């Protein structure tokens, strides 16, 4: 079902607040990060710049408890519905999507 080949073993993940559906962030997972998320219930991602797996909030304490995971129709994108503890964005904002583009 999951198409790991399309993006060389990575899938984008859109992360939403499970209660109000606010889009909090976008990140990537590989198979191992998804497995850790499933095993622990906490969101794990793959850092493309650091080339390693990280758990959301491992240093900040702003963890994400994953309530549900959805796979899109093409099998190449995930949606996490999470219970967010603290801000999701590394800037300290609730959401990473705070800059509006005027187009």
């Amino acid at each position: 079902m999951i198409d790991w080949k399309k993006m060389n073993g990575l899938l984008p993940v859109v992360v939403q607040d499970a209660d109000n559906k606010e889009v909090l962030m976008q990140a990537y997972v590989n198979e191992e990060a998804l497995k850790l998320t499933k095993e622990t219930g906490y969101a794990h991602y793959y850092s493309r710049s650091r080339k390693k797996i990280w758990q959301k909030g491992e240093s900040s304490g702003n963890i994400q408890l994953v309530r549900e995971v959805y796979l899109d129709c093409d099998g190449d994108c995930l949606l996490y519905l999470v219970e967010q503890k603290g801000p999701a964005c590394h800037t300290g904002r609730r959401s990473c999507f705070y800059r509006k583009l005027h187009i």
Side-chain angles (χ1 to χ4, degrees):
M1 283 179 78
I2 296 177
D3 187 352
W4 293 107
K5 294 178 185 176
K6 191 177 277 185
M7 291 185 58
N8 298 318
L10 295 179
L11 291 182
V13 182
V14 175
V15 183
Q16 284 184 299
D17 182 286
D19 293 326
N20 66 21
K21 304 304 186 263
E22 177 183 17
V23 177
L24 300 173
M25 59 179 275
Q26 184 270 323
Y28 292 89
V29 295
N30 63 6
E31 287 187 68
E32 185 179 354
L34 184 58
K35 181 180 180 222
L36 285 168
T37 296
K38 182 179 178 182
E39 289 174 357
T40 67
Y42 293 99
H44 288 75
Y45 301 104
Y46 181 80
S47 170
R48 296 175 300 159
S49 59
R50 293 179 285 154
K51 300 198 181 333
K52 70 173 208 164
I53 293 173
W54 57 284
Q55 179 183 326
K56 178 67 175 165
E58 65 190 348
S59 59
S60 68
N62 300 326
I63 60 170
Q64 292 174 340
L65 178 61
V66 178
R67 288 197 193 161
E68 297 178 74
V69 177
Y70 292 89
L71 179 65
D72 80 336
C73 59
D74 294 325
D76 62 1
C77 185
L78 295 173
L79 172 65
Y80 284 5
L81 297 182
V82 304
E83 182 180 321
Q84 178 69 48
K85 302 293 186 185
C89 185
H90 74 281
T91 66
R93 290 174 174 86
R94 170 107 176 120
S95 170
C96 294
F97 295 93
Y98 60 90
R99 297 183 289 181
K100 183 176 181 178
L101 293 180
H102 299 281
I103 55 172

